[in-house]
Amino acid sequence: QILMLGGILKTLGVFRPPGVPLYKIMLYYFMFFLTMLGLHKLLPVITTLKHRVTNWMAKDMPATQAKGPTLVELPTIQASQLDVESFQAKYLRTNTPVVIRGLGREQGWTAVGKWNFEFFRRNYPDLELAVFKDHSKKDLTFIKCKEFIDKVKAGERVYGRGLDEFFVHDPALLQEVNYPLVQKLRGADHNIGKMGSGQYEGLLFMSAQNTYTQIHSDVGTNFNMQIEGTKEWHIYPPDQLPYFYAEPCSTNLFYRSAIQDPTNPDIKTFPMFKY
C-alpha cells in the first residue's frame, strides 16, 4: 500500500483537468486510498462514495473536453536495433509503451509460424482450461482445449484469458519464445506472482473476435508477444485513472475499471468517462 500511495501522490500532481477544484481531486484520492487499504471490503459504501466524488468532478469538466481520448502513435523499434540496457533506460524505467517489431523472427523463435489453434488442439486436446464466456470473470467455465478451440473457430465469444495451464503442463513451450531474453528486458520485475496452477511468468491468451478485457492496470510490467492473429490495445497514461472509475481488485491487478464494456459505456452512470 505504501508503494501504491507513492504512485497515487505522484499522479495527484498530474491529474489537474481545467475547472475541477483541487479539493475535489484530493477527496477522490483520499477515497481511493481507503480502497487501497482494503477498507471498502468492510465498508462497501466507500466504493459508492468514491464513484459519487468522481461524478461530482465531472460536473466541473468543460463541455469542450467531452470528445473522448486523443489517440497518439506508439513509438516503434525494430528487433535488429534492440539493446537491453538502452531499452530499459528509455522505455522500462520511464513506463513508456513501445512496439518491438520482428522480435520473434529476428531471434528465430520456433513459436512463430508454429503456435496456432491447430497446434494447441492437436497437441493438448484434453488439457482442461479455465475460460470465460466473455469479458466478465463471473462466467468462468472449465472445458477441454479441443472444445474451447472449436468454439473459438465457430465464432463464439469465449475467452481463454491468462492461461498458464499450457506452460505448467509443458514447461518446454517457454523455450520456443526465447523467454530468457524477455526476462532480461523486464529486469527485476520478471517474476510477477502466482496463479491457481502455481508460479507463473508467462500467460497465454486465446479468443475469438470481439472479445475484450475490462480496462485495468496490472501490478507487473507486461510484454505482450503476438504470435498469431491480431489484437487491438488501448493504453492510457496513469494520470487518466479517475476517468475509469477504478476499483482495486486483487494482488495481480492494481485496479480494474467498474465500466464493464468500454466500447459501449453507460455515460449516465459513468459521466467522467466521456472526457
Side-chain angles (χ1 to χ4, degrees), residues 72-96:
V72 296
E73 192 91 13
L74 290 179
T76 300
I77 57 176
Q78 297 298 323
S80 58
Q81 303 170 347
L82 187 63
D83 174 76
V84 173
E85 290 187 5
S86 60
F87 174 86
Q88 290 182 346
K90 189 172 182 180
Y91 301 107
L92 182 67
R93 299 192 187 106
T94 60
N95 292 320
T96 302

Side-chain angles (χ1 to χ4, degrees), residues 6-143:
I8 290 173
L9 293 177
K10 182 178 178 181
T11 305
L12 178 59
V14 178
F15 178 72
R16 286 299 307 274
V20 179
L22 179 60
Y23 71 88
K24 290 187 179 183
I25 298 175
M26 295 181 67
L27 180 59
Y28 168 83
Y29 280 108
F30 172 72
M31 301 299 296
F32 189 83
F33 182 59
L34 291 181
T35 62
M36 294 301 305
L37 293 175
L39 296 181
H40 64 296
K41 297 178 181 179
L42 299 175
L43 299 171
V45 70
I46 291 177
T47 299
T48 302
L49 291 175
K50 180 167 63 68
H51 290 343
R52 287 184 179 179
V53 171
T54 305
N55 291 347
W56 192 27
M57 290 193 295
K59 295 180 179 180
D60 296 307
M61 296 291 289
T64 54
Q65 287 193 215
K67 56 182 180 181
T70 300
L71 301 181
V72 296
E73 192 91 13
L74 290 179
T76 300
I77 57 176
Q78 297 298 323
S80 58
Q81 303 170 347
L82 187 63
D83 174 76
V84 173
E85 290 187 5
S86 60
F87 174 86
Q88 290 182 346
K90 189 172 182 180
Y91 301 107
L92 182 67
R93 299 192 187 106
T94 60
N95 292 320
T96 302
V98 61
V99 177
I100 305 174
R101 295 199 178 277
L103 183 61
R105 298 188 186 281
E106 177 76 20
Q107 295 287 324
W109 294 0
T110 55
V112 176
K114 176 181 178 182
W115 286 16
N116 53 40
F117 287 124
E118 290 303 321
F119 167 78
F120 288 100
R121 192 186 191 285
R122 181 174 62 253
N123 289 280
Y124 312 97
D126 297 320
L127 183 64
E128 191 172 71
L129 306 177
V131 305
F132 302 94
K133 297 177 182 176
D134 206 332
H135 64 277
S136 174
K137 285 191 173 182
K138 298 178 181 179
D139 52 14
L140 178 67
T141 186
F142 294 88
I143 60 176

